Amino acid sequence: MARPTTRAGPLCTEQFGSQAARGCCAAADGSLQWETWGWRWWGFSGAGTANPGGRDAGEGGAPGTAFPTLSRLLAVFLPQGFPDSVSPDYLPYQLWDSVQAFASSLSGSLATHAVLLGIGVGNAKASVSAATATWIVKDSTGMLGRIVFAWWKGSKLDCNAKQWRLFADILNDVAMFLEIMAPIYPVCFTVTICISNLAKCIVSVAGGATRAALTMHQARRNNMADVSAKDSSQETLVNLAGLLVSLLMLPLVSDCPSFSLGCFFLLTALHVYANYRAVHALVIETLNEGRLRLVLKHFLQRGEVLDPTSANRMEPLWTGFWPSLSLSLGVPLHRLISSVFELQQLVEGHREPYLLHWDQSQSPKKESWVIIKDTHQVLDKLFPKFLKGLQDMGWKTEKHQLEVDEWRATWLLSPEKKIL
């Protein structure tokens, strides 16, 4: 059926996010006619454009989408306004995260089967009270571990979200391995599953906290709740698929422990690889200690500032928990000085709102004051250029992910000077 010809140019245009633009024209019969001018498609490699074609998605859908049903289905699992409402690394991260969640779901089914077998499910001689006591001890151990870990490492999880995310998933694999091995050594069964549950509770703290930090990074329109909710929907769908596959897998492996263990190792390898690819795909534009060290080293060597993509690709993911340099921010004065003379030496000759201190165990005290003064002079000269370079390359300098304690000092003799 031929489309009526228009009598005039476009009356107005509309656009659905970064999707296709379309124009409203007056048709020959006086009705409105909508012309789609293009669309965008998205995949692993990012965005691309295609010539106009297909049909409109209809009311409530994105214009210019060739498959309106698929578009509506994706809207169930993607944040509103995707891809503009999320960070550019959202799609590759979520795809690899879905792969690791699927592998983890299958491994979890094998581990749960082993734990139930060890407790005595299916064994007529097993005592219900003994199984209940074992379960209570297991849960209690995990609860205590959750509290202690949150107190011990809670403040560090934001600073190294990618590293702790990877750590949490690997520790989860270790916990499931212990659960699978527990029935093989019945004498140590209770101790083994208590250790396993302790590890899983640490995983829940580290994984949940880092997930929140990554959601904050991915949400670009104050839409953290939407991004988090859609991430939960994606994970639920993946876990449902994992459960369905587990129903087919468990009868095949239940009577063969060696085959079950082999499947677990294959799934664990896939899980670790997918997790590594997921966190490696993240490009976080704020500086933590690891990224700051890389950017500073490059700047001092070449006079250029690394862009966020390059710095994130170079950031260590396996050893990022243990920095090679000891950097402490916001420490009490007694850790820096032991006398009024030392305090005077630290503040003499500069009026910046912070104190620097060199570890005196690394050099004689007199040499230490010289190093500090020289450092202040170098910083005063280089920092403005460094800060401008960070901003020009796309780093977010209004916030950071450095671990800073709460100690602050104010000079009473000079109220305008505050030492951080």
Side-chain angles (χ1 to χ4, degrees):
M1 180 177 180
R3 180 176 293 184
T5 58
T6 59
R7 295 183 301 180
L11 301 176
C12 66
T13 62
E14 67 176 6
Q15 188 171 350
F16 187 81
S18 63
Q19 305 296 316
R22 65 181 186 177
C24 174
C25 305
D29 58 1
S31 63
L32 293 178
Q33 175 178 308
W34 296 96
E35 293 286 351
T36 301
W37 297 339
W39 66 62
R40 291 166 66 103
W41 54 268
W42 288 81
F44 259 120
S45 59
T49 58
N51 292 325
R55 58 178 181 175
D56 294 345
E59 184 178 355
T65 303
F67 305 100
T69 303
L70 178 61
S71 176
R72 294 190 181 95
L73 180 62
L74 290 177
V76 177
F77 298 99
L78 294 174
Q80 183 178 6
F82 172 86
D84 304 287
S85 61
V86 292
S87 60
D89 56 16
Y90 177 86
L91 188 60
Y93 173 80
Q94 293 299 130
L95 289 173
W96 284 112
D97 188 57
S98 297
V99 173
Q100 70 85 18
F102 181 75
S104 180
S105 178
L106 297 181
S107 299
S109 298
L110 295 174
T112 301
H113 176 268
V115 170
L116 294 177
L117 183 64
I119 288 178
V121 175
N123 186 355
K125 297 182 180 180
S127 169
V128 175
S129 59
T132 303
T134 300
W135 206 267
I136 292 175
V137 172
K138 174 180 75 73
D139 288 348
S140 301
T141 304
M143 292 175 185
L144 292 175
R146 187 195 304 265
I147 295 172
V148 172
F149 181 77
W151 161 76
W152 182 35
K153 293 293 184 181
S155 63
K156 302 180 183 297
L157 299 179
D158 282 314
C159 303
N160 297 293
K162 293 195 289 187
Q163 290 82 354
W164 282 109
R165 176 72 179 174
L166 188 59
F167 167 83
D169 285 301
I170 293 176
L171 184 61
N172 190 50
D173 290 331
V174 173
M176 289 189 290
F177 174 73
L178 291 175
E179 289 179 341
I180 290 178
M181 297 300 295
I184 301 177
Y185 303 98
V187 178
C188 303
F189 178 80
T190 301
V191 175
T192 303
I193 64 168
C194 284
I195 296 174
S196 171
N197 198 60
L198 174 63
K200 283 192 171 184
C201 286
I202 293 175
V203 168
S204 68
V205 175
T210 54
R211 184 181 294 272
L214 296 180
T215 300
M216 183 182 299
H217 155 70
Q218 292 175 334
R220 295 301 167 95
R221 289 185 179 172
N222 294 322
N223 57 340
M224 281 189 59
D226 185 31
V227 173
S228 179
K230 296 303 171 56
D231 179 71
S232 178
S233 297
Q234 296 169 22
E235 187 172 0
T236 301
L237 179 65
V238 171
N239 288 336
L240 179 61
L243 289 176
L244 295 177
V245 175
S246 297
L247 291 176
L248 302 176
M249 179 182 66
L250 287 177
L252 302 177
V253 302
S254 58
D255 296 330
C256 184
S258 59
F259 184 48
S260 176
L261 196 59
C263 289
F264 173 78
F265 283 132
L266 288 176
L267 291 170
T268 298
L270 175 61
H271 182 241
V272 173
Y273 176 74
N275 268 294
Y276 177 80
R277 291 297 302 269
V279 296
H280 188 67
L282 290 169
V283 179
I284 300 178
E285 300 95 344
T286 50
L287 292 169
N288 64 356
E289 187 173 340
R291 293 188 288 273
L292 178 59
R293 184 183 301 111
L294 290 170
V295 173
L296 273 175
K297 182 178 179 181
H298 187 85
F299 176 76
L300 294 175
Q301 289 178 344
R302 303 187 182 183
E304 302 173 349
V305 175
L306 280 175
D307 62 278
T309 301
S310 300
N312 277 266
R313 294 291 180 266
M314 297 166 61
E315 183 182 7
L317 299 177
W318 305 108
T319 59
F321 312 100
W322 306 280
S324 58
L325 297 176
S326 178
L327 177 64
S328 300
L329 302 176
V331 300
L333 279 175
H334 73 264
R335 289 180 53 184
L336 303 180
I337 59 173
S338 59
S339 67
V340 175
F341 171 76
E342 292 184 4
L343 180 59
Q344 292 173 341
Q345 291 292 328
L346 279 177
V347 301
E348 181 181 355
H350 77 94
R351 300 181 58 84
E352 299 299 329
Y354 60 86
L355 282 182
L356 292 178
H357 185 58
W358 188 266
D359 186 357
Q360 296 189 11
S361 64
Q362 304 295 327
S363 60
K365 290 186 179 181
K366 290 184 180 181
E367 184 181 348
S368 177
W369 310 126
V370 176
I371 293 174
I372 292 172
K373 291 179 180 180
D374 291 344
T375 302
H376 276 291
Q377 293 177 0
V378 172
L379 287 177
D380 292 342
K381 180 180 179 180
L382 294 181
F383 182 74
K385 180 182 177 182
F386 179 65
L387 179 60
K388 185 179 185 303
L390 290 174
Q391 295 169 344
D392 291 343
M393 297 305 296
W395 290 97
K396 295 181 179 179
T397 57
E398 66 276 7
K399 58 183 179 179
H400 62 79
Q401 292 178 330
L402 301 172
E403 186 181 356
V404 182
D405 209 340
E406 298 301 317
W407 290 97
R408 301 292 186 274
T410 301
W411 301 122
L412 300 180
L413 296 179
S414 181
E416 73 277 5
K417 178 183 286 188
K418 294 183 179 179
I419 304 301
L420 304 183

